[in-house]
């Protein structure tokens, strides 16, 4: 395992720009990440902000986030269309607005959230599960099953067999200390 990791590091040396964090970008007044199906925009607001002080407008082609009576923190025409009924926003810890935009076309990566904003290089985007291809068949099925369960759980549906999954994940983590499991959620 260690040799492979060293080789991978050398390859990355050649192209100095890493993949965009979360396949998105951190900007002065907001940050965003995306998956193929949806996009998350995080807009920091003053600590202690209440939901009723916020103005958040999501339409098929536009997004606006700000505080009532003030200039919007983020406003613009979306670079691609979204499904309004499946898009929503939440206020987290009274200090940031998290907007989830469901993409109309779930097979393409966005270069930016709104037109005129700095763009990412979509060639660098790492699709989810990009690591799966590196795993052997049996482990891969396990990880795919965990991802399936994770999605089921997110939607409030039953997962396959949770306890067994946790044990497998623990073993898998023990066997693969080089992989980053901070994104994997434990039940």
């Amino acid at each position: 395992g260690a040799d492979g990791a060293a080789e991978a590091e050398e390859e990355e040396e050649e192209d100095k720009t890493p993949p965009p964090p979360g396949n998105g970008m951190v900007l002065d007044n907001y940050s965003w990440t995306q998956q193929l199906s949806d996009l998350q925009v995080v807009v920091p607001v003053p600590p202690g902000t209440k939901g009723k002080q916020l103005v958040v407008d999501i339409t098929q082609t536009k997004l606006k986030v700000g505080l009532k009576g003030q200039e919007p923190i983020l406003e613009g025409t979306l670079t691609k269309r979204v499904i309004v009924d499946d898009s929503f926003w939440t206020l987290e810890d009274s200090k940031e607005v998290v907007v989830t935009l469901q993409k109309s076309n779930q097979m393409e990566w966005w270069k930016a959230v709104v037109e005129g904003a700095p763009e990412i290089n979509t060639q660098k985007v790492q699709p989810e599960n990009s690591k799966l291809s590196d795993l052997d068949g049996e482990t891969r099925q396990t990880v795919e099953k965990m991802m399936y369960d994770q999605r089921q759980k997110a939607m409030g549906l039953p997962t396959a067999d949770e306890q067994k999954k946790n044990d497998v994940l623990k073993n898998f983590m023990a066997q693969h200390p080089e992989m980053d499991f901070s994104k994997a959620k434990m039940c």
Side-chain angles (χ1 to χ4, degrees), residues 59 61-65 72 74-79 113-115:
T59 70
T61 55
K62 287 191 165 61
L63 173 64
K64 178 163 112 178
V65 181
L74 167 60
E75 181 175 29
T77 302
L78 297 168
T79 53
V113 180
V114 292
E115 289 178 3

Side-chain angles (χ1 to χ4, degrees), residues 80-148:
K80 299 187 187 299
R81 287 174 171 267
V82 298
I83 303 168
V84 178
D85 288 347
D86 295 337
S87 300
F88 54 91
W89 64 275
T90 54
L91 174 63
E92 310 229 331
D93 301 331
S94 299
K95 64 180 171 40
E96 55 188 30
V97 177
V98 179
V99 183
T100 301
L101 300 172
Q102 200 70 30
K103 297 179 182 177
S104 250
N105 178 348
Q106 309 201 338
M107 295 309 297
E108 63 183 356
W109 298 103
W110 289 28
K111 289 185 173 178
V113 180
V114 292
E115 289 178 3
E119 296 184 350
I120 61 163
N121 176 356
T122 50
Q123 305 294 303
K124 288 276 167 92
V125 161
Q126 293 184 312
E128 298 150 272
N129 315 355
S130 56
K131 287 273 192 296
L132 282 189
S133 53
D134 310 342
L135 305 175
D136 60 274
E138 191 178 336
T139 315
R140 183 152 119 200
Q141 283 177 332
T142 305
V143 176
E144 280 172 340
K145 181 165 167 301
M146 288 178 343
M147 289 179 168
Y148 165 80

Side-chain angles (χ1 to χ4, degrees), residues 6-73:
E7 279 171 30
E9 275 175 29
E10 280 169 29
E11 281 170 30
E12 283 174 13
E13 286 294 306
E14 294 165 25
D15 189 346
K16 289 284 186 273
T17 49
N23 299 329
M25 190 182 276
V26 178
L27 298 158
D28 290 345
N29 48 358
Y30 66 97
S31 61
W32 64 283
T33 55
Q34 67 179 321
Q35 293 166 312
L36 263 177
S37 60
D38 58 28
L39 192 99
Q40 276 210 328
V41 186
V42 178
V43 183
V45 290
T49 296
K50 303 267 192 297
K52 57 179 184 289
Q53 296 171 274
L54 293 166
V55 181
V56 183
D57 283 334
I58 303 169
T59 70
Q60 237 186 354
T61 55
K62 287 191 165 61
L63 173 64
K64 178 163 112 178
V65 181
L67 294 160
K68 284 185 182 161
Q70 297 182 26
E71 286 288 303
I73 302 169

